[in-house]
Amino acid sequence: MAATDLTRPYAASGSAARIGTMFATAIGTFAAWNDARLTRNSLSALTDRELDDIGLHRGDIDGVAGRY
C-alpha cells in the first residue's frame, strides 16, 4: 500500500510560474474588458426613458461600464 502526502502545497517556480501568471493576468484582463463591453451594449440598447428610470443618462454609460 502506498501513502501519499497531501499536506505540502507544490507551486511552480521560475519561468513556469511567470508564464502561468501572465496567462492568468491576460485572461482576467480579457474577462474585465468583455464584462464592460456587455454592460455598455446592454445600457446602450435601453431607451432614454428606461435609462432615466434607473437614474442614468446616455453620457453616463461609459463611466458606468468602466467601473466594473
Side-chain angles (χ1 to χ4, degrees):
M1 177 180 270
T4 304
D5 182 13
L6 300 176
T7 59
R8 291 186 216 155
Y10 295 98
S13 62
S15 62
R18 285 191 296 272
I19 291 171
T21 301
M22 279 184 2
F23 184 70
T25 302
I27 295 297
T29 301
F30 175 75
W33 169 81
N34 194 45
D35 288 345
R37 182 185 67 85
L38 291 173
T39 301
R40 192 174 300 110
N41 288 344
S42 296
L43 290 174
S44 294
L46 297 176
T47 65
D48 288 337
R49 181 175 172 131
E50 291 169 331
L51 286 171
D52 190 43
D53 285 345
I54 60 174
L56 294 176
H57 300 282
R58 290 255 170 235
D60 298 334
I61 291 175
D62 283 333
V64 170
R67 278 189 233 157
Y68 305 104

